[in-house]
Amino acid sequence: MLIVDDEELFRAGLRMVLDAAEDVDVVGECTAAGVPQAVAGSAPDVVLLDIRMPDRDGLAVLGDLKSRQGAPAVLMLTSFDTDAYVARALRAGADGFLLKDSDPAYLVWAVRAAAAGGSALSPSVARAVVDGYASSMEGNGPAEGNGPAPARPPADPGDRVAQLTPREREVLALLGDGLSNREIASELYLSPGTVKEHVSTVLAKLGTDNRVRAAVIAWQSGLTGTAAGLAPHPS
């Protein structure tokens, strides 16, 4: 994974936490300006990206990363649970949102989840993400730097979920809990290939290609119980 933040001391702290995990390999750390060279040289599976940086906007970096073939998963780092940039990052395809003061164990869990194709949302930032999703579906907020607008599903989350079969609802609920396709397969006793097909169908019926937005719909529809269900803390 690659760590992108403008503060050298903060990057060093993140690297120390992540290097302590045996299954996490930090291949580099840099500011926004160094991202193109770092990505080209190391091809990270996950990028931990500060949402606001002085040398270059984190949203612009996110857009560049998501435009690449074989784009990495991108977890956005934010200092506040009401960050106004969250809605725009959601629309640009962020795979998760973490507060900078997240618990170290949760940070490692989130990186593992993103690498496995899951999503991660800090419980305390979940409300901002839900509000950001609602804004993006209504077309509110600034659109510059966000990339193409997502397909717009029906306004009521209940209408979207009503299109799903019972099995697809089960898949959506587990997706809303941040599980990867392989983990969903284990929970439902299905093959990973079958789960992949279900997930693709669910995303298509919900009118999105982003697992985080699907997780938000799962929460809005009551499939995950509480906002914290969007980001289960590691046991």
Side-chain angles (χ1 to χ4, degrees), residues 32 49-64 76 85 88 144-145:
L49 174 64
D50 190 1
I51 203 168
R52 291 190 286 185
M53 294 177 286
D55 57 341
R56 189 165 187 242
D57 191 286
L59 295 172
V61 176
L62 173 62
D64 289 347
M76 305 300 295
Y85 284 41
R88 293 171 59 192
E144 65 275 13

Side-chain angles (χ1 to χ4, degrees), residues 5-234:
D5 192 277
D6 60 296
E7 298 180 15
E8 184 176 358
L9 185 60
F10 183 69
R11 294 199 310 268
L14 288 175
R15 182 161 199 156
M16 184 180 302
V17 169
L18 293 166
D19 274 340
E22 294 183 359
D23 57 344
V24 177
D25 181 17
V26 179
V27 296
E29 57 180 83
C30 62
T31 64
V35 169
Q37 181 176 357
V39 171
S42 61
D45 298 307
V46 180
V47 175
L48 199 57
L49 174 64
D50 190 1
I51 203 168
R52 291 190 286 185
M53 294 177 286
D55 57 341
R56 189 165 187 242
D57 191 286
L59 295 172
V61 176
L62 173 62
D64 289 347
L65 289 170
K66 288 302 181 181
S67 68
R68 298 175 61 92
Q69 184 174 5
V74 181
L75 297 175
M76 305 300 295
L77 285 167
T78 176
S79 298
F80 308 102
D81 58 2
T82 56
D83 198 317
Y85 284 41
V86 165
R88 293 171 59 192
L90 178 64
R91 293 180 65 186
D95 298 284
F97 299 84
L98 305 174
L99 288 178
K100 284 192 169 184
D101 61 356
S102 293
D103 180 87
Y106 184 84
L107 174 63
V108 173
W109 175 88
V111 169
R112 288 171 176 155
S119 57
L121 302 173
S122 290
S124 52
V125 81
R127 171 50 60 188
V129 175
V130 170
D131 291 344
Y133 176 81
S135 295
S136 71
M137 289 300 97
E138 295 166 3
N140 295 333
E144 65 275 13
N146 291 343
R152 298 198 177 195
D156 184 358
D159 291 342
R160 299 193 285 275
V161 174
Q163 303 174 47
L164 306 180
T165 66
R167 175 63 85 188
E168 289 165 356
R169 288 191 185 91
E170 290 180 319
V171 170
L172 177 59
L174 293 173
L175 190 156
D177 283 332
L179 273 63
S180 68
N181 287 1
R182 187 170 295 279
E183 290 168 329
I184 294 173
S186 178
E187 287 287 330
L188 298 180
Y189 301 99
L190 299 172
S191 72
T194 298
V195 170
K196 182 177 180 180
E197 292 177 2
H198 280 313
V199 169
S200 296
T201 300
V202 167
L203 295 180
K205 288 184 178 181
L206 297 180
T208 182
D209 59 0
N210 183 275
R211 293 176 76 100
V212 177
R213 286 196 285 267
V216 171
I217 292 175
W219 178 81
Q220 289 178 311
S221 302
L223 295 180
T224 58
T226 65
L230 288 169
H233 196 284

